């Protein structure tokens, strides 16, 4: 009986050993598979080496790991990768060369359980203190050693085992195959494997991405509309000085903060969608940063913060996207001021450049003496929507720093952070310096833009001592403005702001707005972009491509602030573009500017006897209209019975439509246009001596020579006979 029991126990132990072996084999296969899959996604050898080292460190719980690639002569180390914290493994240590030399000489893996007691290797006291246990294995490929894997110190102060040495040797064989795989074979394989995965993932994600993008777009539109109704009236109230200053400033401050958060969300969405592009131009980094820092000085003073800008360069001309860098620095400054009180914030530009992949990078540091960041939160500060539950440390929306990191990386730069709790935080940014860096990436350098100039600056200042142009009109003669906006409050807000000087007609969507534009032929249209029935882009395009309305200036209002959206609007023929929330003062200035431009253009027609229709036209459609209109008048030039009604019928307009179209282009009624055309034709005939005054009058459609003479003098300031007598002086003037 005892023999049977012994046999059973022996069998059980054998099965347990086999099971343990199977488990070890499965674990090894799992690690090998993880390495193969992960390394298969690498784009180059350096990335492959990184992945291999990371997986080995994790699987055997090492503190540090390195891979050396060696030459055919086995005496020159050409490439090495270090992982994890190597600060304690000083460059002066020669132990790695001793160990790898031994492995190359014996062509087999090596386990050092305790460096202090291993007599094979000489080492300093410092090395014995810092390096306890070591694993080292040759990397094989087709019978040759092509590299060395070195693992230093097992975590928790333990020693590496023979099993871990065996595992490292197995991994080293696969590592050799991975390293030596041709990039082309690897790329082709991955393309086939990933194409199917990408197709399936795309089908799943496209719908979600579309919903997410639409959500943020629509959300921003909904936010910007009430912001317009908050900020606009606030500006008016604050101008009147009849308010509780502290309360209104608080409202204004928080409305602007909300706007900033919305813009950050839109920027993140734009980056995710791959729509945000670099607009790199040359500029002086020192002057640029100094200007941004100065704008935050008042905010810093409120919290008794000493805000300093220090540069070791007097000037530093580089190439960068001005808008992206401003957003990066503004977020970092706001963050530093928020978490610092009665302290210092130092913005600095060191003298030395960092060299990375043979490219120079300039450095910007933003350092504060604020509350700092806990060690366990450092890795998460750049995560989107990251906040800390501990109210004593940094909290917030988690948008600003996430956007900073995204923008830095979009700019092909680097960002890092150092911090000590209750001591302060330092953010370091590194940006590409040279133009050739962007040229090699195919990024076009744009011409420098003078940021000091903008549209509002170009609007002529109002002369407070002189009567405004609007005040010279009575209500019937003032400009007719069509406001197309689906939000009733916005329409009301615009109407109340413009009602004193202009006539307003309203529409709640693009389709209805187009119908009203065709019927009323307004002097200017203000249209929202996002609307039901027909959006503002389509509405503007239809307006600008119809002969009846092509001359009408269009100002688009939108919640979308991205440059691409503005370009889309302007390409459809829009004359101007304002982003919500907007100031009615700005809107009024832009309306006045467009109307004044058109009026100056119309004045030319009154002065010139001979002119080209294209000189009067705002669009090609307007040019075609004028050519057609003048052609009709020319056909009936001698017919004194030719009237406005006949003119409108022949050109295909109603009398009112014809009047407003002609008035918009020539500042005259249809009847005045016919008469002035006849008189200018008469002046040309008189100069050519094509007949006497009476004959010319009849030829251009005047059956009363006396009326002809008085009309001629009203237009030119001379009677027909005086005109001929003073022809030389008239032509010289």
């Amino acid at each position: 009986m005892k023999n049977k029991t012994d046999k059973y126990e022996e069998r059980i132990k054998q099965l347990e050993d086999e099971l343990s072996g199977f488990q070890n084999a499965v674990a090894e296969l799992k690690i090998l598979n993880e390495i193969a899959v992960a390394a298969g996604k690498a784009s180059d050898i350096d990335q492959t080496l990184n992945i291999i080292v990371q997986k080995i460190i994790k699987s055997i719980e090492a503190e540090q790991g390195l891979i050396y690639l060696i030459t055919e002569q086995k005496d020159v180390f050409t490439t090495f990768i270090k992982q994890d914290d190597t600060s304690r493994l000083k460059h002066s240590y020669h132990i790695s060369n001793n160990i790898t030399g031994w492995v190359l000489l014996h062509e087999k893996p090596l386990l050092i359980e305790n460096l202090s007691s291993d007599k094979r290797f000489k080492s300093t006291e410092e090395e014995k203190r810092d390096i306890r246990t070591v694993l080292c294995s040759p990397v094989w490929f087709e019978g040759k050693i092509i590299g060395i894997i070195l693992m230093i110190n097992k975590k928790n102060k333990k020693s590496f085992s023979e099993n871990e040495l065996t595992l490292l040797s197995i991994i080293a064989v696969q590592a050799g195959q991975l390293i030596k795989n041709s990039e082309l074979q690897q790329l082709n394989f991955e393309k086939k494997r990933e194409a199917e995965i990408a197709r399936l993932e795309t089908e799943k994600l496209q719908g979600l991405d579309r919903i997410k993008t639409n959500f943020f777009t629509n959300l921003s539109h909904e936010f910007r509309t009430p912001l317009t109704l908050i900020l606009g009236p606030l500006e008016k109230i604050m101008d009147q000085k009849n308010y509780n200053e502290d309360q209104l400033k608080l409202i204004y401050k928080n409305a602007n903060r909300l706007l900033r958060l919305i813009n950050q969300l839109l920027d993140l969405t734009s980056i995710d969608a791959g729509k945000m592009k670099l607009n790199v131009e040359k500029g002086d980094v020192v002057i640029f940063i100094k200007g941004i820092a100065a704008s935050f000085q008042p905010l810093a003073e409120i919290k008794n913060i000493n805000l300093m800008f220090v540069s070791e360069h007097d000037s530093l001309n580089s190439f960068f996207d001005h808008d992206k860098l401003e957003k990066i620095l503004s977020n970092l400054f706001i963050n530093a001021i928020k978490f610092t009180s009665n302290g210092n914030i130092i913005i600095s530009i060191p003298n030395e450049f960092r060299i990375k992949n043979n490219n120079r990078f300039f450095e910007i540091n933003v350092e504060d003496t604020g509350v700092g960041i806990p060690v366990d939160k450092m890795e998460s500060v750049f995560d989107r929507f990251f906040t800390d539950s501990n109210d004593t440390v940094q909290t917030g929306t988690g948008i600003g720093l996430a956007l900073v990191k995204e923008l830095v990386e979009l700019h092909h730069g680097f960002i890092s952070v150092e911090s000590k709790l209750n001591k302060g935080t330092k953010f370091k940014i590194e940006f590409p310096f040279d133009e050739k860096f962007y040229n090699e990436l195919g990024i076009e350098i744009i011409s420098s833009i003078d940021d000091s100039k903008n549209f509002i600056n170009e609007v002529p200042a109002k002369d407070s001592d002189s009567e405004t142009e609007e005040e010279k009109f009575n209500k019937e003669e003032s400009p007719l403005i069509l406001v197309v906006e689906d939000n009733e409050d916005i329409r009301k807000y615009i109407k109340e702001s413009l009602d004193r000087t202009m006539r307003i007609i309203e529409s709640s969507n693009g389709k209805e707005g187009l119908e009203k534009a065709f019927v009323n032929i307004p002097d200017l249209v203000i249209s929202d972009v996002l609307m039901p029935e027909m959006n503002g882009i389509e509405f503007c395009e239809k307006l600008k491509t119809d002969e009846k309305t092509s001359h009408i200036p269009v100002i688009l209002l939108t919640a979308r602030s991205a440059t691409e959206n503005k370009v889309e609007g302007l390409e459809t023929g829009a004359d101007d573009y304002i982003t919500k929330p907007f100031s009615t003062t700005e809107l009024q200035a832009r309306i006045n500017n467009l109307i004044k431009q058109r009026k100056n253009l119309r004045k030319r027609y009154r002065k010139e006897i001979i002119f080209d229709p294209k000189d009067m036209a705002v669009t090609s459609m307007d040019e075609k209209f004028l050519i057609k209109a003048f052609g009709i008048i020319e056909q009936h030039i001698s017919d004194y019975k030719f009237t406005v009604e006949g003119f409108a019928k022949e050109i295909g307009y109603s009398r009112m439509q014809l009047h407003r179209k002609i008035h918009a282009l020539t500042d005259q009624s249809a009847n005045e246009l016919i008469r002035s055309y006849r008189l200018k034709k008469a002046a040309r005939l008189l100069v050519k001596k094509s007949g006497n005054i009476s004959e010319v009058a009849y030829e251009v459609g005047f059956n009363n020579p006396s009326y002809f003479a008085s009309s001629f003098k009203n237009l030119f300031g001379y009677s027909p006979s005086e005109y001929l007598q003073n022809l030389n002086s008239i032509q010289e003037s």
Side-chain angles (χ1 to χ4, degrees):
M1 190 71 173
K2 184 176 181 302
N3 291 337
K4 283 187 176 182
T5 302
D6 291 342
K7 286 182 180 180
Y8 284 136
E9 288 178 352
E10 184 179 343
R11 181 57 178 159
I12 289 170
K13 187 176 183 306
Q14 183 182 0
L15 290 172
E16 286 176 346
D17 291 341
E18 290 178 1
L19 178 60
S20 177
F22 284 134
Q23 288 174 337
N24 289 337
V26 169
E28 290 171 2
L29 288 172
K30 184 178 178 182
I31 294 168
L32 291 172
N33 182 63
E34 287 178 358
I35 292 174
V37 171
K41 297 178 181 178
S43 59
D44 52 47
I45 289 180
D46 280 351
Q47 194 176 358
T48 300
L49 296 174
N50 266 324
I51 291 168
I52 294 170
V53 170
Q54 288 172 350
K55 292 293 183 183
I56 298 173
I57 287 173
K58 183 178 179 181
S59 63
I60 65 174
E61 297 182 327
E63 288 184 357
Q64 302 176 44
L66 304 88
I67 288 185
Y68 293 93
L69 296 185
I70 63 177
T71 65
E72 292 292 330
Q73 292 76 26
K74 298 184 180 179
D75 58 356
V76 179
F77 295 87
T78 58
T79 307
F80 62 93
I81 298 293
K82 293 182 178 180
Q83 284 297 320
D84 285 4
D85 180 15
T86 58
S87 59
R88 293 178 65 233
L89 190 62
K90 298 179 181 179
H91 293 294
S92 61
Y93 288 176
H94 61 273
I95 188 68
S96 59
N97 289 343
N98 290 343
I99 294 171
T100 53
W102 188 95
V103 171
L104 286 172
L105 179 65
H106 294 83
E107 296 187 347
K108 64 180 183 180
L110 171 68
L111 166 62
I112 300 176
E113 295 180 353
N114 189 328
L115 180 64
S116 299
S117 60
D118 197 312
K119 304 300 182 183
R120 292 173 293 178
F121 303 99
K122 293 181 180 180
S123 55
T124 65
E125 291 302 316
E126 193 176 14
E127 290 169 344
K128 289 177 181 178
R129 185 193 68 216
D130 291 342
I131 303 175
R132 303 183 304 276
T133 178
V134 176
L135 286 183
C136 187
S137 174
V139 178
W140 293 91
F141 180 75
E142 294 183 350
K144 295 179 181 179
I145 296 176
I146 64 168
I148 300 291
I149 299 178
L150 182 65
M151 294 287 123
I152 300 172
N153 292 345
K154 188 172 177 68
K155 291 180 179 178
N156 301 321
K157 296 187 178 181
K158 295 179 180 179
S159 297
F160 291 120
S161 66
E162 290 290 344
N163 286 340
E164 287 166 334
L165 181 63
T166 302
L167 176 60
L168 183 64
S169 301
I170 294 170
I171 293 173
V173 174
Q174 188 184 42
Q177 183 66 46
L178 290 171
I179 293 169
K180 282 295 184 178
N181 274 348
S182 73
E183 292 186 3
L184 182 60
Q185 288 176 329
Q186 183 177 345
L187 183 62
N188 288 339
F189 173 77
E190 284 304 316
K191 277 185 176 179
K192 290 178 182 178
R193 192 176 68 85
E194 291 178 358
E196 182 61 19
I197 296 174
R199 185 184 66 79
L200 296 173
E201 289 295 324
T202 300
E203 289 178 359
K204 292 179 187 176
L205 296 176
Q206 272 180 344
L208 182 61
D209 286 342
R210 215 167 20 246
I211 292 170
K212 183 177 72 171
T213 300
N214 290 338
F215 167 75
F216 277 113
T217 300
N218 294 333
L219 183 65
S220 70
H221 185 267
E222 292 301 317
F223 280 165
R224 286 177 183 271
T225 295
L227 275 170
T228 298
L229 299 171
I230 293 170
L231 295 175
L234 268 176
E235 286 180 355
K236 285 190 172 183
I237 293 171
M238 292 170 74
D239 286 341
Q240 295 168 0
K241 303 296 182 184
N242 182 23
Y243 59 91
N244 183 314
E245 186 172 349
D246 291 338
Q247 289 182 354
L248 287 183
K249 283 185 176 179
L250 182 64
I251 296 170
Y252 194 78
K253 173 186 172 183
N254 281 279
N256 275 300
R257 180 172 177 267
L258 179 58
L259 176 60
R260 186 172 67 251
L261 293 174
I262 292 168
N263 288 334
Q264 289 175 348
L265 279 171
L266 287 174
D267 283 340
L268 286 172
T269 306
S270 183
I271 291 171
D272 286 345
K275 292 182 178 179
M276 184 172 284
K277 307 297 181 185
L278 281 181
N279 296 307
V280 178
E281 56 182 299
K282 189 175 183 179
D284 189 327
V285 176
V286 174
I287 293 175
F288 185 82
I289 297 177
K290 187 183 294 184
I292 298 173
S295 68
F296 283 89
Q297 194 73 44
L299 187 60
E301 290 174 357
I302 292 172
K303 298 187 70 177
N304 295 319
I305 296 170
N306 182 22
L307 180 65
M308 295 175 286
F309 173 67
V310 181
S311 173
E312 296 180 10
H313 302 269
D314 292 332
S315 65
L316 188 63
N317 288 308
S318 182
F319 297 85
F320 57 97
D321 186 317
H322 292 203
D323 177 65
K324 308 293 186 299
L325 182 55
E326 182 179 1
K327 288 178 179 177
I328 290 166
L329 293 176
S330 295
N331 274 291
L332 291 179
F333 293 170
I334 289 170
N335 193 71
I337 291 171
K338 181 178 181 180
F339 298 108
T340 305
S341 294
N342 303 310
N344 299 313
I345 297 175
I346 302 174
I347 304 103
S348 61
I349 305 178
N351 186 45
E352 295 183 358
F353 293 100
R354 294 289 298 273
I355 307 298
K356 296 187 178 185
N357 298 324
N358 296 320
N359 289 298
R360 291 190 296 173
F361 287 71
F362 67 87
E363 184 179 310
I364 305 168
N365 297 312
V366 179
E367 187 171 3
D368 65 61
T369 57
V371 297
I373 306 169
V375 175
D376 60 332
K377 306 298 180 183
M378 289 283 287
E379 294 183 359
S380 305
V381 293
F382 294 117
D383 292 350
R384 293 188 185 185
F385 313 112
F386 168 75
T387 58
D388 195 292
S389 58
N390 185 352
D391 291 335
T392 64
V393 296
Q394 299 196 26
T395 59
T397 62
I399 299 174
L401 290 179
L403 177 61
V404 165
K405 186 173 186 294
E406 297 275 8
L407 290 174
V408 169
E409 292 178 351
L410 178 70
H411 213 301
H412 303 279
F414 304 90
I415 185 168
S416 59
V417 58
E418 300 172 4
S419 186
K420 289 185 179 179
L421 201 57
N422 299 318
K423 296 290 184 181
T425 302
K426 178 181 179 180
F427 287 92
K428 180 172 74 174
I429 313 165
E430 295 170 279
F431 261 39
F433 179 75
D434 296 309
E435 182 178 11
K436 71 178 181 68
F437 178 89
Y438 299 104
N439 291 336
E440 290 170 358
L441 292 174
I443 297 172
E444 183 179 355
I445 306 295
I446 64 175
S447 300
S448 294
I449 299 172
D450 186 353
D451 292 332
S452 65
K453 294 180 179 179
N454 56 50
F455 189 96
I456 297 303
N457 291 336
E458 294 172 1
V459 176
K462 180 179 176 180
D463 186 353
S464 59
D465 296 325
S466 62
E467 188 179 28
T468 64
E469 194 169 2
E470 288 74 31
E471 289 166 346
K472 293 177 183 177
F473 286 100
N474 59 35
K475 194 64 178 176
E476 287 71 29
E477 293 173 327
S478 60
L480 179 65
I481 309 296
L482 170 61
V483 179
V484 187
E485 164 67 65
D486 60 318
N487 185 284
E488 185 177 356
D489 289 334
I490 292 285
R491 290 202 311 274
K492 182 179 178 182
Y493 173 53
I494 294 173
K495 182 178 180 180
E496 288 177 351
S497 301
L498 304 178
D499 196 49
R500 184 178 65 86
T501 58
M502 299 175 184
R503 291 173 293 153
I504 308 296
I505 52 177
E506 302 175 53
S507 176
S508 60
N509 62 68
K511 185 177 179 181
E512 179 186 279
L514 196 63
E515 293 171 357
K516 288 192 175 183
F518 287 148
V519 172
N520 296 281
I521 315 294
D523 294 294
L524 185 138
V525 171
I526 301 168
S527 173
D528 191 17
V529 170
L530 294 180
M531 294 184 295
E533 299 290 334
M534 180 187 295
N535 65 44
I537 300 294
E538 186 181 355
F539 165 73
C540 179
E541 186 175 12
K542 289 184 180 297
L543 203 70
K544 289 293 187 177
T545 53
D546 191 285
E547 188 183 79
K548 292 184 180 69
T549 54
S550 58
H551 65 283
I552 301 173
V554 177
I555 297 176
L556 289 179
L557 306 175
T558 184
R560 298 180 176 183
S561 57
T563 302
E564 297 95 315
N565 295 320
K566 292 183 179 180
V567 170
E568 181 185 10
L570 295 173
E571 284 179 346
T572 62
D575 297 83
D576 209 342
Y577 205 105
I578 298 181
T579 304
K580 294 178 181 178
F582 59 87
S583 159
T584 52
T585 304
E586 176 184 357
L587 179 62
Q588 179 83 61
R590 295 188 184 229
I591 291 171
N592 291 343
N593 192 63
L594 286 171
I595 290 176
K596 185 175 181 179
Q597 286 176 1
R598 297 297 195 272
K599 192 168 187 65
N600 289 339
L601 196 61
R602 295 195 297 264
K603 285 180 181 178
R604 295 181 57 188
Y605 175 76
R606 289 184 177 272
K607 294 180 179 179
E608 299 180 18
I609 295 176
I610 300 175
F611 70 98
D612 191 332
K614 71 180 179 183
D615 295 331
M616 288 297 302
V618 177
T619 67
S620 60
M621 296 294 295
D622 297 336
E623 182 182 352
K624 291 177 183 177
F625 169 80
L626 287 172
I627 292 171
K628 182 163 62 173
F630 293 145
I632 292 171
I633 298 173
E634 183 66 36
Q635 289 173 11
H636 299 275
I637 194 73
S638 301
D639 182 5
Y640 69 90
K641 293 181 180 180
F642 181 64
T643 62
V644 173
E645 286 76 9
F647 189 9
K649 184 177 181 181
E650 194 158 339
I651 205 168
Y653 284 44
S654 70
R655 182 187 175 97
M656 190 278 290
Q657 287 175 331
L658 179 63
H659 167 74
R660 294 200 62 81
K661 177 76 177 181
I662 288 176
H663 187 271
L665 293 175
T666 67
D667 210 22
Q668 294 179 323
S669 67
N671 195 52
E672 288 173 330
L673 178 69
I674 296 171
R675 184 167 62 250
S676 66
Y677 188 91
R678 293 181 191 274
L679 292 170
K680 290 180 180 183
K681 176 70 176 288
R684 296 197 298 272
L685 292 174
L686 289 172
V687 171
K688 292 179 180 179
K689 298 180 180 179
S690 299
N692 61 37
I693 294 174
S694 296
E695 290 171 339
V696 167
Y698 287 119
E699 187 172 345
V700 296
F702 285 86
N703 63 344
N704 186 329
S706 140
Y707 176 63
F708 167 72
S710 63
S711 298
F712 194 95
K713 187 169 185 176
N714 286 337
L715 182 61
F716 297 110
Y718 297 92
S719 68
S721 57
E722 291 170 338
Y723 185 84
L724 289 173
Q725 291 171 4
N726 297 282
L727 186 60
N728 291 334
S729 60
I730 293 171
Q731 289 176 338
E732 288 174 3
S733 63

